[in-house]
Amino acid sequence: MTHTITVIPGDGIGAEVIPAAVAALEALDLPLAFQHAEAGFGTFERGGEALPAATIAACAASDAVLFGATGSPMTRVPGYRSPILVLRRRFDLYANLRPALGVGIDLLVVRENTEGLYSGRERLEDGGATAIAERVITARASERIARIACEAAQRRRGRLTVVHKANVLKETCGLFRRAALEVAAGYPDLAVDELLIDAAAMWLARDPGRFDVIVTTNLFGDILSDLAAGMAGGLGLAASANVGDGRLALFEPVHGSAPDIAGQGTADPRAAILSAALLLDHLGYAAEGERLRRAAYATPHTGDTGATARAVIAALGEAAP
Ligand code: NAI
Ligand code: MG
């Protein structure tokens, strides 16, 4: 059976690293069909839409999406919404899985992807002198993200850490904490503990080896996973998966569009290639995913996107199990 993959390079270095990842996938000679689609700030500037209906339709008709990055402006641009946030919502890709693997660190951050402080509910009051964001936590979203984390922990080393700030955010984090610990109690084979977010950041920096799977809310997970990525070799090696209960899943490097180096051909393509490896795992090609992962980790980035990608592809032969 052929799997259809929608490829969305997006903005900036997305357009440089995603072709490298597609080349690596093609080198594996699997029954994969690629269809290219547009999204991002460049797409918005050209046609007035950051995520055209044709792109959503292409995603809906595929088994997986390989996504580069979008360059979102820091200030509000009328009519613009980050396509990655819209895609996560549209396909209910509620779990963001971010592995971090390096010297002394081998963990997975499972980040809730649909609510929390990224609820999209922000407003100004007092004529602009006060800004308010609503942090939305639901039992349903907390339970389902906890379930994903428990299942991941079962496949890994059997340890789960629930990260929150329930001592201060008594209602929102309180609800998340209760829901997550309750779900985890249904997995008696797991060793479960909990940490406050600030303590979790400290322990991550001091002793990353104590962590296996971390489950947490949207903003905390965003920050902790970047910290873990930084410790595990930097954004050049940080890959992520966005999954839900449906067929579709989306895979993307953790890094953004890197406008400071875009267009130079120097971006490290390995985070995108490692995202492609997660995509292979998801489609059931675990052996090929592992081969690609080994090849990417065994290859240093030369400073030239194309050369590094070719070296990874060359290393595929040696990475055969
Ligand atoms: P960034 O990840 O784009 O860049 C941070 C720093 O890391 C830059 O110095 C960049 O040159 C470097 N870098 C990132 N990826 C690299 C790679 N593959 N190889 C070599 N160097 C790399 O984050 P930044 O600068 O905070 O954001 C830039 C834009 O990207 C913003 O518009 C932001 O909104 C967007 N962004 C989009 C994401 C997404 O599409 N999921 C995620 C993060 C940021
Ligand atoms: Mg981030």
Side-chain angles (χ1 to χ4, degrees):
M1 187 185 103
T2 298
H3 292 286
T4 303
I5 297 169
T6 297
V7 177
I8 306 176
D11 298 315
I13 63 167
E16 300 167 41
V17 297
I18 291 300
V22 170
L25 285 174
E26 283 175 336
L28 288 165
D29 245 341
L30 294 167
L32 305 175
F34 298 94
Q35 54 183 22
H36 289 260
E38 265 200 285
F41 197 67
T43 306
F44 174 75
E45 287 184 315
R46 281 190 298 277
E49 273 184 312
L51 186 64
T55 298
I56 296 177
C59 293
S62 56
D63 299 290
V65 177
L66 186 59
F67 188 92
T70 58
S72 297
M74 292 290 171
T75 51
R76 184 177 294 283
V77 174
Y80 178 80
R81 283 195 68 204
S82 169
I84 187 68
L85 298 184
V86 178
L87 281 172
R88 284 172 182 162
R89 289 250 166 94
R90 169 67 180 72
F91 294 101
D92 205 16
L93 304 174
Y94 62 84
N96 192 200
L97 312 180
R98 296 186 170 187
L101 180 62
V103 179
I105 180 167
D106 179 5
L107 60 82
L108 175 71
V109 177
V110 177
R111 163 192 172 197
E112 205 291 323
N113 230 357
T114 62
E115 55 178 32
L117 206 47
Y118 297 172
S119 64
R121 301 197 201 164
E122 274 201 308
R123 62 182 187 277
L124 294 174
E125 290 185 359
D126 283 348
T130 301
I132 295 174
E134 287 183 64
R135 183 169 195 258
V136 178
I137 300 289
T138 63
R140 174 175 172 266
S142 303
E143 284 162 12
R144 66 183 185 172
I145 196 71
R147 218 165 282 124
I148 293 262
C150 288
E151 285 162 16
Q154 282 184 319
R155 288 191 303 271
R156 292 174 50 99
R157 299 193 305 278
R159 297 206 49 186
L160 176 72
T161 305
V162 179
V163 171
H164 56 76
K165 188 76 181 177
N167 57 334
V168 176
L169 301 167
K170 292 204 162 53
E171 301 304 340
T172 51
C173 270
L175 174 56
F176 174 78
R177 170 181 180 271
R178 269 195 317 278
L181 291 176
E182 231 172 80
V183 167
Y187 294 78
D189 47 327
L190 298 181
V192 180
D193 65 353
E194 58 179 308
L195 276 177
L196 297 173
I197 176 65
D198 41 356
M202 190 275 290
W203 280 114
L204 192 52
R206 280 194 74 129
D207 184 16
R210 68 177 269 160
F211 294 103
D212 181 15
V213 176
I214 293 172
V215 65
T216 188
T217 49
N218 206 336
L219 171 66
F220 295 165
D222 194 6
I223 298 170
L224 269 196
S225 61
D226 268 38
L227 172 57
M231 298 173 59
L235 285 173
L237 285 170
S240 75
N242 297 270
V243 305
D245 295 328
R247 175 174 73 129
L248 189 74
L250 182 151
F251 303 85
E252 52 166 343
V254 169
H255 65 69
S257 59
D260 54 338
I261 60 163
Q264 297 174 12
T266 59
D268 189 339
R270 293 176 301 170
I273 291 171
L274 290 166
S275 303
L278 292 175
L279 181 153
L280 291 176
D281 295 343
H282 180 79
L283 292 181
Y285 298 115
E288 288 83 359
E290 185 55 24
R291 240 178 102 197
L292 189 54
R293 208 166 1 255
R294 281 193 209 178
Y297 277 112
T299 305
H301 178 43
T302 56
D304 179 291
T305 309
T308 299
R310 284 189 294 278
V312 171
I313 291 168
L316 278 174
E318 294 138 44

